Every structure is written in structure tokens, then in C-alpha cells.
Amino acid sequence: MLPLRFFAIPTFSAVTIIGGVVNFGFYGFIFLLSLFFQDVQHKSALAAGLAFLPLTGSVIIANWLTGPLTGRFGPRLLMGVGLALG
């Protein structure tokens, strides 16, 4: 579905690899954190899900803000800041 010639572009390859690593780490973090809430802190599934609301809210706000900021500052600065914060 994705033409392999795109991977000949160094920027595309770098962004794809970085995005994959960040997503792999983020979703692994969510999985382990849900196990921590339920097994270690003995929270119910509902309480564990509600404990994720601040994380979900911060992701929503960050996604909402990055559109206009990317137009103003360019993608490289925001990607660097996002990776440093992550």
C-alpha cells in the first residue's frame, strides 16, 4: 500500500523509524501502567482507566497545539521538543 521508493528519502525513513519507536514505547508504557494500576495498586478496571485521563488529556492538547505550531516553527523543532519531553 505504501510505495517502497518513499523509504529512499532519508527524512521519510527517519520520521518513520522514530515514530515507530515512540509508538512502541508509548503503547508498551500504557500496557505496563494498566497492569501496575490493577495488580500492584489493586484498582478496578474502571479506576485504572480513569487514571489514564490526565495522560489522554495531555495527548489531546499536544495534538491540538502542534498543528498551528508546526506551521509557525516547522516540524523539526517540534519533533525535537516532543522527543525530548517524551
Side-chain angles (χ1 to χ4, degrees):
M1 295 179 79
L2 182 67
L4 294 178
R5 60 185 161 88
F6 286 164
F7 289 99
I9 304 169
T11 305
F12 180 82
S13 296
V15 168
T16 303
I17 291 169
I18 291 171
V21 169
V22 167
N23 279 314
F24 184 75
F26 184 72
Y27 293 119
F29 170 73
I30 289 175
F31 174 71
L32 292 176
L33 194 58
S34 66
L35 291 178
F36 173 76
F37 284 148
Q38 293 184 23
D39 292 340
V40 176
Q41 292 189 341
H42 304 292
K43 292 184 179 190
S44 67
L46 177 62
L50 291 174
F52 281 109
L53 282 179
L55 178 65
T56 304
S58 65
V59 169
I60 290 170
I61 290 170
N63 286 330
W64 180 65
L65 289 175
T66 54
L69 290 176
T70 301
R72 179 179 287 178
F73 299 110
R76 289 182 187 234
L77 176 65
L78 291 177
M79 285 184 64
V81 170
L83 286 173
L85 288 174

